[in-house]
Amino acid sequence: MKTILFYWLKTPGDIDRLEQAVASLAPIPGILDIEWGRPAGYDDHIMDQSFDLCVTITFETEDGLSAMLKDPVHDEASDIFKE
């Protein structure tokens, strides 16, 4: 199972903090893989370039997603995501 998240930063320059928060989720049980990236940065009328960071998280099962949402590490990371 995968979830794909897009983030738009309220404060420019906080991208490194957001990437660190995403990376902190990796040890949570049930997560198989986390990938993230910034927009490609080239002008293309088809591809959305408005987001600051895209995150894809792959879980073993749907239970892995539920477990992540209840994990204290996720709670800490979520505080950064909300800024």
Side-chain angles (χ1 to χ4, degrees), residues 43-62:
D43 187 22
D44 185 322
H45 68 281
I46 297 172
M47 296 173 58
D48 182 355
Q49 301 284 321
S50 69
F51 65 93
D52 292 296
L53 193 71
C54 175
V55 178
T56 304
I57 304 174
T58 305
F59 300 93
E60 290 181 46
T61 64
E62 285 185 42

Side-chain angles (χ1 to χ4, degrees), residues 18-80:
L18 185 58
E19 288 178 324
Q20 290 171 357
V22 170
S24 75
L25 302 174
I28 295 176
I31 293 179
L32 295 177
D33 188 43
I34 299 179
E35 297 177 285
W36 63 89
R38 301 175 188 191
Y42 58 89
D43 187 22
D44 185 322
H45 68 281
I46 297 172
M47 296 173 58
D48 182 355
Q49 301 284 321
S50 69
F51 65 93
D52 292 296
L53 193 71
C54 175
V55 178
T56 304
I57 304 174
T58 305
F59 300 93
E60 290 181 46
T61 64
E62 285 185 42
D63 291 337
L65 171 59
S66 297
M68 180 194 74
L69 294 174
K70 296 174 187 171
D71 193 289
V73 172
H74 176 266
D75 292 342
E76 289 178 29
S78 292
D79 289 341
I80 294 170

